[in-house]
Amino acid sequence: MMETQFIDWILTIPEVEKDFPFGPGVQAFRVAGKIFGLLTAITKNQAAITTGSNQLIFFSDLQDTKAISLKNNEGQTLDYREMFSGIIPGYHLHKKYWNTVFLHADIPLEYLEIMVLESYQEIIFKLPKKNQGFYLE
């Protein structure tokens, strides 16, 4: 899926809005005013990211790419990191609840879509019960 198609797909999820709260390089996806996804560019100039386990991820062999950070429950974040090498602990985020997913990595589209929907639902399920039905219809 191309980046624009991916963004368009996310925006088809009920009541999702996109904005740029941290400047033009970071797109935030929100539901009920709360962020559930952050899409950022990773450039060749960013040589490496150190993960929570001191594992270095090098980007020197990649062209410019995109990564989306998604919120999940604690168990899901760890499971996804074990399943795919293209998922690391949330970059500049709470690593217990956030994963950063490289869009041009080894992650099948179905899993990427599932992770986005789970992140969306994490926000919805934290809303007051009386408001949840509006988003889950």
Side-chain angles (χ1 to χ4, degrees):
M1 182 182 296
M2 303 290 286
E3 176 191 338
T4 54
Q5 291 171 313
F6 180 65
I7 293 169
D8 290 345
W9 174 80
I10 292 174
L11 293 173
T12 66
I13 301 169
E15 303 300 321
V16 169
E17 297 175 345
K18 175 180 80 167
D19 65 357
F20 299 85
F22 307 111
V26 180
Q27 297 178 52
F29 298 98
R30 298 175 186 261
V31 62
K34 299 184 184 305
I35 295 174
F36 70 91
L38 292 167
L39 185 68
T40 58
I42 304 293
T43 65
K44 289 186 285 186
N45 296 334
Q46 293 170 303
I49 292 176
T50 304
T51 68
S53 61
N54 293 326
Q55 171 191 7
L56 286 177
I57 307 292
F58 289 96
F59 301 106
S60 58
D61 58 335
L62 296 177
Q63 295 299 319
D64 292 351
T65 189
K66 296 279 185 170
I68 187 164
S69 295
L70 299 166
K71 185 175 188 176
N72 289 103
N73 69 46
E74 184 179 358
Q76 288 172 318
T77 56
L78 298 174
D79 290 345
Y80 286 133
R81 290 176 205 162
E82 290 175 6
M83 290 172 63
F84 302 107
S85 62
I87 299 177
I88 63 170
Y91 186 60
H92 289 298
L93 297 164
H94 194 296
K95 288 156 182 34
K96 185 175 180 180
Y97 299 107
W98 288 83
N99 278 334
T100 297
V101 181
F102 295 95
L103 298 184
H104 296 96
D106 61 338
I107 299 122
L109 179 59
E110 304 84 49
Y111 277 96
L112 185 58
E113 290 174 348
I114 288 168
M115 286 186 278
V116 169
L117 291 172
E118 288 173 347
S119 185
Y120 171 86
Q121 290 172 345
E122 277 293 308
I123 299 299
I124 300 302
F125 293 146
K126 301 262 191 241
L127 296 174
K129 295 255 187 253
K130 66 180 182 178
N131 298 344
Q132 290 179 12
F134 175 77
Y135 297 98
L136 298 174
E137 293 176 348

